[in-house]
Amino acid sequence: MPYGQAKEILEYAREFHRKAGAYYQKLSCQTQSARVKLLLDYLVRHEKHLEKTLSDYEQSIATKALNSWYQFSQDQRTFQPLDSLSYSEEMTVDEIIKSGTTIDNCLIASYKGMADTATSAEIREIFENLLAMEEQEKHVKARIALGINDM
């Protein structure tokens, strides 16, 4: 089983949000649909917000907890590469919502796996907080996406 520090996992999650934002930006530049572009532009901003939120959260955590070593299995760190998501210039709002849900579920599964196997209360709390944040953000994103879809 590989080892890593909690701060490395947070850095990886920030990078994941940065890549998700770039993924949505690429789609936004390619689409011809005003509704799809509206949704994608929102998702770009949303991913930037989450990336900054993780950075701010990391600043609020005790250095000792961030530097704690953490043992995890590869299947617990399920931040799947975004390259596996297919996209085209003609994606619909529903297809983008499905893609966004895949991204959200990936992070939720990762944080849940890390929280479930944490060896200390401090580490468990970090990943439980991230899990709660990601679940809440998934619901917010879904409501906004459905609102755009109903336009």
Side-chain angles (χ1 to χ4, degrees):
M1 284 191 164
Y3 286 86
Q5 292 177 300
K7 68 181 175 184
E8 292 172 339
I9 297 165
L10 288 175
E11 289 168 10
Y12 190 82
R14 274 199 322 274
E15 178 67 9
F16 186 90
H17 283 296
R18 189 192 63 71
K19 287 180 179 179
Y23 167 78
Y24 292 133
Q25 184 63 55
K26 183 175 182 177
L27 289 175
S28 178
C29 291
Q30 294 176 344
T31 189
Q32 301 300 316
S33 167
R35 283 185 335 153
V36 170
K37 184 162 183 56
L38 181 65
L39 174 59
L40 289 166
D41 290 345
Y42 162 75
L43 291 172
V44 168
R45 289 188 311 274
H46 185 78
E47 292 300 329
K48 284 181 183 177
H49 165 74
L50 290 175
E51 184 181 353
K52 175 148 180 20
T53 299
L54 279 174
S55 182
D56 293 345
Y57 180 64
E58 185 176 352
Q59 298 299 319
S60 72
I61 299 171
T63 303
K64 180 181 175 190
L66 285 174
N67 291 331
S68 296
W69 286 91
Y70 182 81
Q71 185 177 7
F72 55 90
S73 65
Q74 283 303 105
D75 60 328
Q76 289 172 311
R77 188 171 163 179
T78 57
F79 300 97
Q80 301 165 348
L82 294 169
D83 296 340
S84 67
L85 296 173
S86 60
Y87 56 89
S88 72
E89 294 179 21
E90 282 85 38
M91 284 184 80
T92 65
V93 171
D94 287 336
E95 290 169 327
I96 292 167
I97 291 170
K98 183 178 178 185
S99 180
T101 301
T102 299
I103 291 169
D104 291 338
N105 289 340
C106 175
L107 287 166
I108 288 168
S110 295
Y111 293 147
K112 181 166 179 21
M114 303 244 182
D116 289 346
T117 59
T119 56
S120 75
E122 288 176 313
I123 299 295
R124 184 172 8 281
E125 182 180 355
I126 289 171
F127 291 110
E128 284 174 348
N129 288 341
L130 291 172
L131 175 62
M133 179 193 77
E134 196 61 42
E135 287 175 335
Q136 179 182 358
E137 292 297 327
K138 178 182 175 180
H139 295 297
V140 168
K141 189 184 336 182
R143 280 194 307 272
I144 289 174
L146 290 174
I148 290 172
N149 197 27
D150 289 342
M151 293 175 81

